[in-house]
Amino acid sequence: MMLDNLRGMAVFASVVGHGSFSGAARQLGITTSAVSQQIRSLEKDLGVVLLHRSTRKLSLTEAGASFYESAKDVVTAADQGRIKVNQLRDELAGSLRIATTPELGVNHILPALSTWMSAHDDLSIYFLADNHYIDMIDERADIAIRMSPQIKDSSVATYPLAEVKQMLVASPHYLRQHEKITKPKDLANHQLISIDLMKDPNTLDFSSIETGKKNRVKITSRIQTNNVFLATTLAKEGHGLVRVMSLDVQKELASGELVEVIPEYSLPHFVLYAVTLDREQQPAKITRCLEVLKKHFHAAA
Amino acid sequence: MMLDNLRGMAVFASVVGHGSFSGAARQLGITTSAVSQQIRSLEKDLGVVLLHRSTRKLSLTEAGASFYESAKDVVTAADQGRIKVNQLRDELAGSLRIATTPELGVNHILPALSTWMSAHDDLSIYFLADNHYIDMIDERADIAIRMSPQIKDSSVATYPLAEVKQMLVASPHYLRQHEKITKPKDLANHQLISIDLMKDPNTLDFSSIETGKKNRVKITSRIQTNNVFLATTLAKEGHGLVRVMSLDVQKELASGELVEVIPEYSLPHFVLYAVTLDREQQPAKITRCLEVLKKHFHAAA
DNA sequence: TACCATTACGTTAACCGTAAATATG
DNA sequence: CATATTTACGGTTAACGTAATGGTA
């Protein structure tokens, strides 16, 4: 494969298409001098005369006529490529792959994107819902939703969507039935339903909102699960306390099915991030999706 | 139509084809640095990321995958074009158009090329046999055979094939029946069969071979034609003298059907030329054909 | 560590425009 | 004479290589 004179081929195609050097020059936005030089260089390179020229008319040689077919193809393919890329860049079409956990997906991402998705039905959205870590490149994910204290991976671009409180919640019924909790120490006598998706599921690092004093409490769990929905359901039914992200229990808190335990002490905050592989040069569908997500979570906050 | 970054497209195609920048660099004979810069420039130009790269593997974006299809087409078309031109340049194939007069064609060009033609049956030869002047460009003639004292057209390349004597011939029978001819003046009492393809068909400019002295003689013609073959046939049948090119009566002179009249005086020489539109960068079939013609006529001389 | 991609920077060469010359109808 | 192509020349910029840097297995 050669890199030589691709430019010359495009110039040649234009010359033949227009039937004149000056016509081609006008189209290409260069001078006839440049056109002439390109053609000369091309002919020298190919070792063959492509077109006989008098000042008034051009005539293709046999080699020129044959070469023109390919030169046309080169230009056509190049134009095609640019057109297709422009469409993918500017239009909300093609595919958009979003990686998230099933819980976040169902409870927040899907609600956030629902109306936007139905407004753009040329866009096919694929939700990669999985609890274990996925490689964005391998899975060709355009956007990943991640929750963590901070993102360490420097090779990705991060867009914070929401600050997420961790909180300890329980059903009002459970709290009535059990010993009152006014400080972290009181938790020793309570049931913690642990979700082992989090690390150190049984360690709670409280800080007093008033004094900022830190308090580490370890609790044993009789009930464990790897599913947030299951855990909150258990809590609603009065089986114990559960540590959850505020986002995951917004409804339950609003309806009073669950209430926060010792709100005077806070657990470490998490940040919900959207992550992309690149910060710039993104197709419109990606940047627009990020905007929709940001707007949704900022409105909710 | 754009001229931008065609080179970058070819580089991109090579990168994707190889799955690595360094592989592409090796194939293209440039450094990975150059490859990286080309891809970057292309991405910036397109406003979109084409491939995600970690140092160990590459992964196409959606836009990149789409663009690759076209980039491949660009390279394929460019290669195709070069291949076809190389074939037309180096192989004796395709078409070869030779312009000549019917007489020269039948009597000399065809015999000169006959064996060469049958040795290359991929070559289709077209004889443009016509007595009036033809425009080589309009008729797409690769080679024209022309006979004249000299070629004035400076835009063509000329290859002298043979110096052609004009001579006055007659049948031995005619000469026996008529008054003897020893000097130009004696022609006044003879019949000249004139061929009006030549200009001044009735004017004969003799020069004495011995003294170089010039002698202009005008003769009236009772018999005229525009066809050399017809004229020589008439001469063979004893109808008169005829002024012909030596080339046109070689056989008859050898067999004794015709003999030269007053060989002590010569008529102006002509030169048989092959003419092409360009001197350099000619396809092999043209240069080879010229070689065959030159060899043929030089051997005959 | 070994291989790969990126980046900054200086160099080279391709590319182009101006302008004058040449050719054509 | 008007229009079109060629060519020489000089300037601009794109393209490249070197070498140093950062990542990844």
Side-chain angles (χ1 to χ4, degrees):
Chain A
M1 177 170 59
M2 302 291 293
L3 298 174
D4 301 323
N5 259 324
L6 283 170
R7 193 182 184 79
M9 285 186 82
V11 173
F12 175 67
S14 176
V15 166
V16 178
H18 281 77
S20 83
F21 280 45
S22 31
R26 276 188 292 273
Q27 182 196 27
L28 300 173
I30 58 180
T31 60
T32 58
S33 167
V35 173
S36 175
Q37 292 172 62
Q38 285 287 346
I39 300 299
R40 182 148 49 95
S41 150
L42 189 59
E43 287 183 327
K44 185 182 167 192
D45 178 30
L46 293 172
V48 92
V49 176
L50 294 173
L51 28 83
H52 297 299
R53 20 207 194 278
S54 73
T55 55
R56 289 294 160 179
K57 68 186 159 196
L58 298 179
S59 157
L60 283 170
T61 62
E62 186 184 15
S66 173
F67 195 65
Y68 174 54
E69 295 304 312
S70 297
K72 238 188 335 190
D73 290 347
V74 166
V75 173
T76 304
D79 288 346
Q80 263 293 313
R82 301 186 90 87
I83 290 168
K84 285 189 299 182
V85 165
N86 286 341
Q87 284 175 348
L88 286 174
R89 186 193 53 201
D90 298 331
E91 295 178 8
L92 302 183
S95 73
L96 180 63
R97 296 167 67 87
I98 303 175
T100 176
T101 60
E103 285 79 15
L104 283 170
V106 171
N107 295 327
H108 302 291
I109 307 306
L110 231 161
L113 297 179
S114 178
T115 63
W116 183 70
M117 280 164 61
S118 40
H120 301 287
D121 50 7
D122 284 347
L123 193 59
S124 81
I125 301 189
Y126 191 100
F127 286 98
L128 293 151
D130 213 323
N131 271 316
H132 41 75
Y133 177 86
I134 66 133
D135 181 291
M136 290 188 68
I137 291 180
D138 287 348
E139 300 293 336
R140 302 200 317 285
D142 297 302
I143 296 174
I145 307 297
R146 289 186 180 156
M147 177 125 57
S148 69
Q150 79 267 355
I151 303 271
K152 47 259 151 203
D153 192 338
S154 66
S155 73
V156 296
T158 58
Y159 304 83
L161 296 177
E163 188 168 68
V164 181
K165 280 170 61 179
Q166 282 188 101
M167 49 173 65
L168 207 55
V169 296
S171 71
H173 179 253
Y174 174 92
L175 293 177
R176 282 195 296 276
Q177 299 286 77
H178 293 77
E179 197 177 301
K180 195 161 186 198
I181 307 170
T182 56
K183 53 185 188 299
K185 288 259 169 80
D186 300 338
L187 294 169
N189 304 321
H190 284 264
Q191 280 299 335
L192 179 71
I193 302 166
S194 76
I195 305 174
D196 63 7
L197 292 174
M198 308 163 174
K199 54 180 175 184
D200 299 329
N202 296 323
T203 304
L204 301 179
D205 286 315
F206 286 102
S207 24
S208 161
I209 289 177
E210 210 162 322
T211 68
K213 220 177 112 192
K214 312 243 172 189
N215 244 355
R216 171 164 296 188
V217 179
K218 295 214 174 201
I219 304 184
T220 53
S221 300
R222 196 172 48 84
I223 307 177
Q224 299 174 17
T225 177
N226 65 349
N227 185 287
V228 174
F229 185 63
L230 231 150
T232 55
T233 305
L234 286 166
K236 281 191 280 188
E237 293 178 357
H239 292 286
L241 307 169
V242 64
R243 171 174 59 146
V244 293
M245 302 295 164
S246 56
L247 273 177
D248 289 330
V249 290
Q250 278 177 333
K251 273 185 219 142
E252 288 81 357
L253 290 174
S255 70
E257 287 178 285
L258 290 174
V259 295
E260 187 172 2
V261 178
I262 49 168
E264 301 79 16
Y265 293 82
S266 72
L267 289 164
H269 289 185
F270 278 60
V271 178
L272 183 71
Y273 290 97
V275 171
T276 62
L277 282 168
D278 297 276
R279 179 162 293 279
E280 317 221 317
Q281 311 266 72
Q282 297 282 26
K285 58 192 171 195
I286 295 181
T287 57
R288 296 287 288 280
C289 181
L290 290 174
E291 285 164 18
V292 171
L293 287 173
K294 276 190 273 188
K295 187 171 295 177
H296 178 266
F297 285 102
H298 290 16
Chain B
M1 179 170 59
M2 302 289 295
L3 298 174
D4 301 322
N5 260 325
L6 283 170
R7 193 181 185 79
M9 287 187 82
V11 172
F12 175 68
S14 176
V15 165
V16 178
H18 281 77
S20 84
F21 280 44
S22 31
R26 277 188 291 272
Q27 182 198 29
L28 300 173
I30 58 181
T31 60
T32 58
S33 166
V35 173
S36 176
Q37 293 172 62
Q38 285 287 345
I39 300 298
R40 183 149 48 96
S41 148
L42 189 59
E43 287 183 328
K44 184 182 167 195
D45 179 30
L46 293 172
V48 91
V49 176
L50 294 173
L51 27 82
H52 297 299
R53 19 205 194 278
S54 73
T55 56
R56 288 294 160 180
K57 67 185 161 199
L58 297 178
S59 157
L60 283 170
T61 62
E62 186 183 14
S66 173
F67 195 64
Y68 175 55
E69 295 305 312
S70 297
K72 237 186 340 189
D73 289 347
V74 167
V75 172
T76 304
D79 287 348
Q80 262 294 313
R82 302 186 92 87
I83 289 168
K84 285 190 298 181
V85 165
N86 286 341
Q87 284 175 348
L88 285 175
R89 187 192 52 201
D90 298 332
E91 295 178 7
L92 303 181
S95 74
L96 180 64
R97 297 167 66 88
I98 303 176
T100 174
T101 61
E103 286 79 16
L104 283 170
V106 171
N107 294 328
H108 302 292
I109 307 306
L110 232 162
L113 297 180
S114 179
T115 63
W116 182 71
M117 282 166 60
S118 40
H120 301 287
D121 49 7
D122 284 348
L123 193 60
S124 81
I125 301 189
Y126 190 100
F127 286 97
L128 293 151
D130 213 321
N131 272 315
H132 42 75
Y133 177 84
I134 65 134
D135 181 289
M136 290 187 70
I137 292 181
D138 287 347
E139 300 292 337
R140 302 199 317 286
D142 297 302
I143 297 175
I145 307 297
R146 289 186 179 156
M147 177 123 62
S148 69
Q150 80 267 354
I151 303 269
K152 48 262 151 202
D153 193 337
S154 66
S155 74
V156 295
T158 58
Y159 304 82
L161 295 177
E163 188 168 67
V164 181
K165 280 169 63 179
Q166 282 189 99
M167 50 172 63
L168 208 56
V169 296
S171 72
H173 179 256
Y174 173 93
L175 292 177
R176 279 194 299 274
Q177 300 285 76
H178 294 76
E179 200 174 300
K180 193 157 188 199
I181 307 169
T182 55
K183 52 185 190 299
K185 289 262 169 80
D186 299 339
L187 294 169
N189 304 319
H190 284 266
Q191 279 299 332
L192 179 70
I193 303 165
S194 75
I195 305 172
D196 63 8
L197 292 175
M198 309 166 175
K199 54 181 174 182
D200 299 326
N202 296 322
T203 304
L204 301 179
D205 285 314
F206 286 102
S207 27
S208 161
I209 290 177
E210 211 161 321
T211 67
K213 220 177 110 192
K214 313 245 171 188
N215 244 350
R216 171 165 294 188
V217 178
K218 296 214 175 202
I219 303 183
T220 54
S221 298
R222 195 170 52 83
I223 307 176
Q224 299 174 17
T225 177
N226 65 349
N227 183 287
V228 174
F229 184 63
L230 230 152
T232 56
T233 305
L234 287 166
K236 280 191 282 187
E237 294 177 356
H239 291 286
L241 307 169
V242 65
R243 172 173 61 145
V244 293
M245 303 294 165
S246 56
L247 274 175
D248 289 330
V249 290
Q250 280 177 333
K251 273 185 218 141
E252 288 81 356
L253 291 174
S255 70
E257 288 177 285
L258 290 172
V259 294
E260 186 173 4
V261 178
I262 48 168
E264 301 80 16
Y265 293 81
S266 72
L267 289 164
H269 288 186
F270 277 61
V271 178
L272 183 71
Y273 290 97
V275 172
T276 61
L277 283 168
D278 297 276
R279 178 159 294 279
E280 317 222 316
Q281 311 267 72
Q282 297 281 26
K285 58 192 172 197
I286 295 181
T287 58
R288 297 287 290 279
C289 181
L290 290 173
E291 285 163 20
V292 171
L293 288 173
K294 275 190 274 188
K295 188 173 295 178
H296 179 266
F297 285 103
H298 290 16

